Amino acid sequence: MNCDQVKMILADYLDGTATEKEKASVAAHLKKCDNCRDELRFLKKYLKAIGKYPTFQAPDDFLKGVHRGIERRQRSGIVRTLFFPLSVKVPLEAAALVALALTGVLLFRPYRTDLLDYGPEQAPAVTEHAAAPDRKATRDIAPGRRQALPENNVAAAPEKKRATRPEPARKDAAVTVGSRPGEQIQKQETADIQAAEITLALRLKSAHEEKAATEDLVTRESEDAAADSGIIVGGTSLRSSAAPEAQRAKTSGRDEQRADTIWAIDDLARPLGGKIIQTVMDKTTGAPRSVVVELPSGNYPAFIERLGQRWNIFDRSPAAPRASATLRITMHIQD
Amino acid sequence: MNSETKKAARSNQEDETLIRDFLAENINAFDRLVLKYQDLVFNLCFRIVGDYDDASDCAQETFIKVHANLKNFAFRSSFTTWLYRIAINTCRTMLSSSGNRMRKKMVRIDRPGDAESGPVEINDCSSDPGDLFEKNEQSRVIHRAIDSLPDELKVLVVLRDLEGNSYEEISEITGVNLGTVKSRLARARHLLRESLREVL
């Protein structure tokens, strides 16, 4: 046995709990090891002194203190249940909170672009009834804006099918133009992926210019009343749809005219089997910046002619649309 | 040694009856358990944490934990072993707490003989062991020597030399295996021999 082994059982050797073999080994080692003999002498004195070590009584109010502690713990039981052990429950609860927040975000999607619609009014609900426009939807959008809606601009049935695009050629697309500062998308609509495109730049005519243009058109109509001008969707009175006198009566200023731009373009497009598929509004002024209309390509000349009554068209790109069943006209409106 | 106290305390039959009464919602059963073991637990805590007030807090906290967990006691070990284990863990938590460490540090930097800085006033909030060991200077010195041991050695010395537990019980209470208990005890006694050389 070496010294370390002896020291480990020296206390047992002293109190007699060591085995006979251990006792013999320790006795043999002690005869030749001064250090272990010193250790044994120390242990004898130490254990004797330890025997006199005093025993104390617990404080008098010990039991009351225990009762107070138990009551305190029971009061804070809910907090402990919720948060302790901190290292386990707090991360779990934080993760659950994040998951809950993510679920809420995914469910309600506050970032959806269609929630960024401009102003108090909603975009016109453009439907597939291209040749039979639903004017009720238009009335619902801004009841106070329009004083009178023409009743006889519902197109005749035979041409309606020609104006209606076939379903397989369509897809639902979320149109996200209008990334310039101050602009917001006013509506999302179904887009035709096969439509030809043309871009126009418009500026509203002055009252004088507009009157002259209207008179010129009326004169030409009376000269050739039977001519249909290649309009596919017939039966629509230009007077009733454009109604420049009515427009003038209800718009007293330039600003109001500008605000009525969308409705005026809608009036032009609907009788021709077209519809507004997208508008971009100026966030600051509320004025329309761009209006995109889809209509049958065959009605493009008539649309341009009617458009020219109120707007100066000073730019076209390309100069003429390519051949296609449907034409998408993007009109940038300038002040 | 307090072997008589331990003998009285280690009546497992009575403990089991009290525990079952407590589980049957006999309000007085727990109080009787506390009264039976309060001195044992208080002395154990005092010997480990070395401070009267801290020992009182630790002992009370031990019984609060016992109250909270007694319904989970499965009678696989004796109640006293279970009680010791809770008390030791409570004392370890107390010893490792930042406040306790800071207080010990404040006491240790007290060097009245430093001429340049002058005497340092230390606000030691612990009760003076001198009062408790008024009539036993040797025990006071031993108390300080044990208190200066590393925590893992101090617990073993208290359980073996002061509380009189067997190696097997110590192993069960502390969760340290038997061989390690013996070797650590030998090391602790060697350290005590160094610090008590002048006294013993």
Side-chain angles (χ1 to χ4, degrees):
Chain A
M1 255 188 187
N2 59 29
C3 288
D4 289 338
Q5 290 169 325
V6 169
K7 283 174 184 172
M8 276 179 65
I9 56 173
L10 213 48
D12 299 342
Y13 174 79
L14 262 182
D15 60 23
T17 54
T19 62
E20 291 302 321
K21 188 181 174 185
E22 285 173 339
K23 283 178 188 172
S25 300
V26 170
H29 182 83
L30 287 172
K31 282 179 186 171
K32 58 183 179 181
C33 181
D34 291 341
N35 188 31
C36 287
R37 277 199 301 275
D38 287 345
E39 185 85 11
L40 183 67
R41 275 194 288 274
F42 163 74
L43 267 180
K44 281 179 184 173
K45 290 178 186 174
Y46 167 72
L47 292 175
K48 190 179 173 185
I50 283 285
K52 295 175 186 171
Y53 198 88
T55 301
F56 305 106
Q57 286 195 331
D60 292 339
D61 60 346
F62 187 85
L63 185 59
K64 282 184 184 175
V66 173
H67 285 162
R68 278 197 298 271
I70 290 169
E71 285 170 17
R72 194 167 51 242
R73 179 161 293 204
Q74 283 172 343
R75 277 201 301 275
S76 63
I78 296 171
V79 175
R80 293 191 71 80
T81 306
L82 282 175
F83 299 111
F84 285 85
L86 287 173
S87 59
V88 176
K89 290 193 180 171
V90 169
L92 278 177
E93 285 159 357
L97 206 62
V98 169
L100 198 66
L102 282 175
T103 307
V105 167
L106 289 172
L107 281 177
F108 298 108
R109 292 188 295 162
Y111 50 80
R112 281 183 304 179
T113 52
D114 56 351
L115 293 180
L116 300 174
D117 283 357
Y118 176 81
E121 61 187 65
Q122 295 293 315
V126 181
T127 67
E128 273 302 298
H129 306 295
D134 182 5
R135 301 314 300 254
K136 185 177 181 303
T138 310
R139 285 192 200 102
D140 289 342
I141 294 162
R145 286 208 165 206
R146 303 187 64 81
Q147 294 174 349
L149 291 168
E151 295 297 325
N152 57 345
N153 60 350
V154 178
E159 289 82 7
K160 183 164 61 178
K161 287 181 181 175
R162 289 172 58 195
T164 306
R165 289 182 292 272
E167 284 301 318
R170 303 181 67 82
K171 72 166 186 179
D172 286 333
V175 183
T176 54
V177 293
S179 57
R180 283 179 292 172
E183 292 182 357
Q184 286 187 340
I185 298 165
Q186 187 168 22
K187 69 178 183 180
Q188 291 177 294
E189 255 308 330
T190 306
D192 186 336
I193 57 172
Q194 294 180 340
E197 294 188 359
I198 189 164
T199 303
L200 309 177
L202 307 179
R203 183 179 292 126
L204 199 63
K205 286 182 175 178
S206 64
H208 174 72
E209 289 173 326
E210 189 177 349
K211 185 178 178 183
T214 306
E215 284 172 354
D216 179 54
L217 181 65
V218 170
T219 305
R220 281 196 287 113
E221 274 198 336
S222 62
E223 288 173 356
D224 191 7
D228 207 9
S229 302
I231 300 170
I232 295 171
V233 182
T236 303
S237 163
L238 179 61
R239 287 174 187 271
S240 62
S241 60
E245 288 83 8
Q247 290 288 339
R248 275 195 296 275
K250 71 177 180 180
T251 55
S252 56
R254 187 105 182 140
D255 289 343
E256 287 186 26
Q257 285 180 348
R258 191 198 308 157
D260 278 349
T261 297
I262 294 171
W263 314 116
I265 291 173
D266 192 47
D267 280 345
L268 295 180
R270 280 179 178 275
L272 297 173
K275 62 179 181 179
I276 294 175
I277 61 164
Q278 180 188 321
T279 58
V280 178
M281 310 295 287
D282 190 301
K283 191 178 180 182
T284 310
T285 64
R289 284 293 177 206
S290 297
V291 179
V292 182
V293 166
E294 264 190 11
L295 82 167
S297 292
N299 291 349
Y300 172 67
F303 180 78
I304 290 297
E305 185 180 15
R306 294 177 182 190
L307 195 68
Q309 290 175 51
R310 290 193 68 190
W311 285 276
N312 285 317
I313 304 169
F314 56 90
D315 191 21
R316 297 185 196 198
S317 176
R322 66 177 170 81
S324 170
T326 308
L327 179 64
R328 184 178 302 159
I329 307 165
T330 302
M331 289 164 279
H332 296 305
I333 298 159
Q334 299 189 0
D335 292 329
Chain B
M1 244 291 313
N2 53 347
S3 56
E4 288 181 8
T5 313
K6 289 188 72 177
K7 276 181 186 173
R10 288 178 175 176
S11 52
N12 291 337
Q13 191 83 25
E14 189 187 348
D15 292 348
E16 193 173 329
T17 306
L18 288 174
I19 293 165
R20 293 197 191 284
D21 286 351
F22 169 75
L23 295 177
E25 301 195 353
N26 180 344
I27 300 168
N28 294 324
F30 181 73
D31 289 356
R32 286 174 63 191
L33 269 176
V34 174
L35 291 172
K36 182 178 176 182
Y37 286 107
Q38 63 179 12
D39 289 345
L40 181 78
V41 174
F42 175 77
N43 278 284
L44 173 70
C45 294
F46 176 72
R47 288 160 185 175
I48 293 173
V49 299
D51 178 85
Y52 189 88
D53 294 332
D54 285 350
S56 180
D57 290 345
C58 276
Q60 287 181 347
E61 181 64 22
T62 299
F63 283 107
I64 292 165
K65 288 178 180 175
V66 167
H67 182 272
N69 296 290
L70 201 54
K71 59 181 178 295
N72 300 323
F73 182 63
F75 299 99
R76 280 196 285 266
S77 62
S78 71
F79 176 71
T80 45
T81 302
W82 188 64
L83 187 63
Y84 267 118
R85 197 182 303 148
I86 294 174
I88 295 286
N89 288 334
T90 308
C91 290
R92 279 175 173 160
T93 306
M94 170 72 80
L95 289 171
S96 62
S97 67
S98 57
N100 191 280
R101 282 202 303 270
M102 195 192 315
R103 189 172 55 206
K104 279 198 166 186
K105 195 175 178 183
M106 285 173 68
V107 173
R108 284 174 184 169
I109 62 168
D110 183 6
R111 291 175 183 169
D114 194 334
E116 283 191 11
S117 60
V120 181
E121 285 191 20
I122 304 288
N123 183 22
D124 183 7
C125 59
S126 63
S127 298
D128 182 6
D131 297 338
L132 299 168
F133 299 102
E134 195 175 5
K135 296 174 184 174
N136 194 339
E137 176 62 19
Q138 199 174 50
S139 294
R140 186 181 63 81
V141 175
I142 291 174
H143 175 83
R144 284 190 175 176
I146 293 173
D147 197 41
S148 67
L149 288 172
D151 291 344
E152 75 273 13
L153 299 184
K154 182 170 32 176
V155 168
L156 297 181
V157 167
V158 168
L159 287 174
R160 174 65 182 168
D161 297 341
L162 294 175
E163 298 292 322
N165 288 288
S166 67
Y167 293 124
E168 288 77 12
E169 285 173 328
I170 293 170
S171 177
E172 192 178 352
I173 291 166
T174 58
V176 178
N177 71 54
L178 209 58
T180 308
V181 169
K182 287 182 180 178
S183 64
R184 281 184 183 176
L185 270 171
R187 187 150 58 93
R189 284 167 185 151
H190 183 72
L191 291 172
L192 286 173
R193 182 184 164 195
E194 296 297 317
S195 57
L196 296 171
R197 187 185 296 275
E198 293 177 5
V199 182
L200 299 179

